[in-house]
Amino acid sequence: MFGRDMLRGSLELMVLSVLADGSTYGYRILQRLAEASGGQVELKAGTLYPILHRLEARGSVRSRWDSTTGRDRKWYALTAAGRKALRREADEWFAYAECVQGLLRPALRAI
Amino acid sequence: MSEPEFEHWLRLLGRLLDLSDAQRDNVRRELRDHLETQLADLMARGFSREEAVARALDEFGDAAALGRDLSRLNVRRRWIMRSTIGLGVAAAAAVVVSLFLPVDPESSRTATGQETAATVEAVPDAPEFASPADRRTRTQLSQAIDRLELEDISLENVITYLRETSGLNMHVHWRVLEAAGIEREQPITLHLTNVPLGKAIDLILDDVSGGEVALGYEVDEGIVRLSTIDDFDRRTDTVVYRIGDLIAPALSEAQKIALRNIVTSVSTLRTGHSENLSSDQIEKRLDEMVDTIQTILETRRGDRLTEMIRETISSDSWRGNGGDAGSIHLWHGRIVVTHSKRIHRRIQELLEQLRRTESPVS
């Protein structure tokens, strides 16, 4: 499990990426994150749902209730704005990661 | 976390997310679905229902951690966020409290100086003892809170919250409380509707004391002090109460006349004849005698009143009765009392009751 501070900046980005695959629901998002990260990212429900609500408030995702399967379930999907945000933030993330790598490599050689 | 705790947690979460009722319901629905899906999953993996419930609830994360996460949301009144218990603080901000009922226009006139006994709530301090600041504060304390819901909020945060919302100057004697075993972080759970603020403070103090130590509050120059009763009892004031009306006149006119007749006839009997005094001198002598007898009777009454006070109000706190805090002295139609504010209040009440029930001297 990655350190909390490390994760904090990128949780929303991760959630958006899971949603890029298609409409899904909270529990499933947690599973996907755990699977995709090889068990390294195990979010708790209490962490995920505030993020989803925040994203919805921002207009990056939209939700709908569906009870057709007999289960009262809330499904989330990326909006167009959400897709744009994902692209933009992913770019920023890669740039950031490169920057940090650029600093770390020589530093590790030095110590 | 047990299932009732889950429900409780759900409710809290709903409030913390600063949502409308409809939105809160949505959150609860969603979390319930999550929980049920997880249970189904775990049971499919072979866990018993009990084990599954325990695991599922654990995975929801503890409330404090949730609070810390949620506190990064845009919760109103960030200024309250000073506590290390994120949940308590955030909940205090979002807790369902409606502020006090609007101040009655009548009583605000009262606050600026006019005494309208009809509109002001029963104020324990008699006018001659309470400063205007104290009276204003007591009026505020008597105003009702619509609803107050506290779930695991620390004492310190509750006080901060009440202070900020009521505007009252509240001062907690923390060191005294801590010495008595009451910590700032002690969590309080309380649900109140339509209670006066003063009563709410009492109930909050009852909750943290757990019946172990007596706590209370006092109004002091407009400040509401919170501490142990012992602490307050140790602070004494000296107050002079007028009691002339309660102990005098000891004799009615008819009794005075009868007394004079008795004295006259007794002295005649003793000397065999009336002394060679002018009628003016005789009158003067009789007046003096009646006055002396009156004074003796009044003093006796005063003594009896003093005794009654010492016996009925915190009897073991008076000097001479085993205590060292309180003293009471009769002095010319007044009593001079040194004691804590709490005891003074009880004395005032007693005197008021005596006055109310006093029948006119026949």
Side-chain angles (χ1 to χ4, degrees):
Chain A
M1 183 78 195
F2 289 124
R4 195 179 197 79
D5 289 328
M6 196 82 82
L7 282 175
R8 199 184 299 151
S10 48
L11 283 177
E12 282 182 12
L13 192 51
M14 288 193 230
V15 171
L16 285 174
S17 354
V18 170
L19 286 168
D21 280 338
S23 163
T24 184
Y25 53 97
Y27 186 72
R28 192 77 198 104
I29 295 175
L30 290 186
Q31 284 186 323
R32 283 285 299 127
L33 284 171
E35 283 162 21
S37 67
Q40 296 276 54
V41 179
E42 291 194 319
L43 282 194
K44 300 207 158 160
T47 314
L48 175 68
Y49 288 105
I51 291 175
L52 286 169
H53 287 110
R54 208 163 32 218
L55 289 172
E56 192 170 14
R58 216 179 287 155
S60 298
V61 312
R62 69 169 163 270
S63 65
R64 64 180 170 84
W65 285 95
D66 179 48
S67 315
T68 52
T69 57
R71 263 226 149 83
D72 199 22
R73 180 163 281 166
K74 197 175 188 191
W75 292 76
Y76 293 90
L78 279 186
T79 59
R83 277 190 285 273
K84 272 203 216 116
L86 174 54
R87 212 166 287 128
R88 189 182 57 241
E89 278 165 44
D91 285 341
E92 195 178 345
W93 172 258
F94 286 120
Y96 178 69
E98 235 182 274
C99 170
V100 175
Q101 277 186 342
L103 282 168
L104 284 176
R105 289 232 165 75
L108 289 171
R109 268 181 260 128
I111 54 173
Chain B
M1 248 204 277
S2 61
E3 285 204 54
E5 283 175 20
F6 177 67
E7 286 301 316
H8 165 111
W9 183 94
L10 261 186
R11 253 181 286 131
L12 212 43
L13 175 62
R15 283 192 213 117
L16 284 165
L17 291 177
D18 201 21
L19 305 166
S20 68
D21 281 333
Q23 288 172 312
R24 253 179 250 147
D25 273 334
N26 268 331
V27 171
R28 293 171 65 157
R29 270 166 87 191
E30 189 170 19
L31 292 180
R32 193 167 280 116
D33 171 50
H34 184 110
L35 177 64
E36 279 165 19
T37 311
Q38 189 160 28
L39 284 181
D41 217 17
L42 289 167
M43 293 201 294
R45 281 201 262 155
F47 291 100
S48 72
R49 182 173 168 86
E50 267 153 15
E51 289 170 329
V53 169
R55 279 180 164 248
L57 290 174
D58 273 341
E59 286 177 33
F60 265 82
D62 72 285
L66 172 65
R68 270 191 295 266
D69 291 339
L70 288 173
S71 71
R72 288 180 209 118
L73 283 178
N74 204 6
V75 176
R76 277 195 290 257
R77 298 169 113 180
R78 259 175 210 279
W79 48 262
I80 275 186
M81 312 235 163
R82 275 177 259 128
S83 167
T84 51
I85 304 176
L87 181 67
V89 160
V95 116
V96 178
V97 171
S98 78
L99 292 182
F100 310 93
L101 300 176
V103 177
D104 186 33
E106 291 287 297
S107 23
S108 49
R109 240 190 285 129
T110 307
T112 56
Q114 273 176 279
E115 277 333 296
T116 19
T119 51
V120 174
E121 294 271 341
V123 172
D125 299 327
E128 61 260 38
F129 309 120
S131 65
D134 283 355
R135 265 173 281 152
R136 263 197 301 277
T137 302
R138 287 213 181 267
T139 307
Q140 274 179 282
L141 287 168
S142 69
Q143 289 188 308
I145 307 176
D146 224 29
R147 221 163 110 202
L148 180 66
E149 294 189 15
L150 305 170
E151 308 229 331
D152 267 352
I153 315 285
S154 73
L155 176 61
E156 191 170 26
N157 286 334
V158 173
I159 302 299
T160 305
Y161 184 79
L162 288 178
R163 188 188 286 134
E164 304 284 356
T165 50
S166 69
L168 277 178
N169 199 345
M170 291 176 65
H171 175 69
V172 186
H173 295 196
W174 286 116
R175 264 192 281 247
V176 174
L177 289 182
E178 276 152 23
I182 312 258
E183 302 292 331
R184 289 174 201 241
E185 298 87 37
Q186 214 149 316
I188 297 165
T189 297
L190 203 61
H191 298 275
L192 301 171
T193 49
N194 198 30
V195 285
L197 175 55
K199 187 78 187 147
I201 296 175
D202 277 331
L203 291 169
I204 287 163
L205 292 175
D206 276 349
D207 194 74
V208 288
S209 77
E212 298 279 321
V213 51
L215 302 176
Y217 70 87
E218 284 288 348
V219 177
D220 174 25
E221 291 308 313
I223 299 171
V224 181
R225 294 177 183 272
L226 282 79
S227 188
T228 61
I229 299 288
D230 274 345
D231 188 28
F232 290 131
D233 282 350
R234 265 178 257 133
R235 294 152 197 268
T236 59
D237 293 315
T238 300
V239 177
V240 176
Y241 297 85
R242 276 177 270 118
I243 56 163
D245 59 316
L246 287 172
I247 60 177
L251 298 168
S252 68
E253 285 310 309
Q255 285 170 323
K256 280 190 212 167
I257 292 168
L259 187 58
R260 290 161 71 102
N261 290 341
I262 292 167
V263 167
T264 313
S265 50
V266 163
S267 67
T268 312
L269 282 171
R270 288 187 83 210
T271 61
H273 54 84
S274 334
E275 284 179 31
N276 240 343
L277 298 169
S278 70
S279 50
D280 275 340
Q281 285 171 309
I282 292 169
E283 284 304 303
K284 204 166 157 250
R285 280 261 192 96
L286 287 171
D287 281 340
E288 280 164 19
M289 215 168 293
V290 170
D291 279 342
T292 309
I293 290 169
Q294 275 228 130
T295 307
I296 292 169
L297 289 174
E298 281 170 16
T299 308
R300 275 244 209 97
R301 274 204 190 181
D303 281 337
R304 253 187 270 144
L305 177 57
T306 311
E307 261 323 293
M308 177 168 58
I309 289 172
R310 285 164 60 102
E311 256 162 70
T312 59
I313 298 177
S314 186
S315 56
D316 53 10
S317 69
W318 301 96
R319 263 178 245 154
N321 270 13
D324 58 3
S327 71
I328 179 167
H329 298 285
L330 182 61
W331 197 81
H332 296 283
R334 306 182 199 41
I335 45 172
V336 182
V337 184
T338 300
H339 220 306
S340 65
K341 280 194 183 230
R342 184 173 65 98
I343 300 305
H344 278 297
R345 266 203 300 278
R346 288 180 62 184
I347 293 173
Q348 279 159 233
E349 277 161 24
L350 177 63
L351 295 178
E352 264 162 58
Q353 276 189 305
L354 288 173
R355 283 179 176 121
R356 271 202 298 271
T357 56
E358 182 95 334
S359 46
V361 181
S362 47

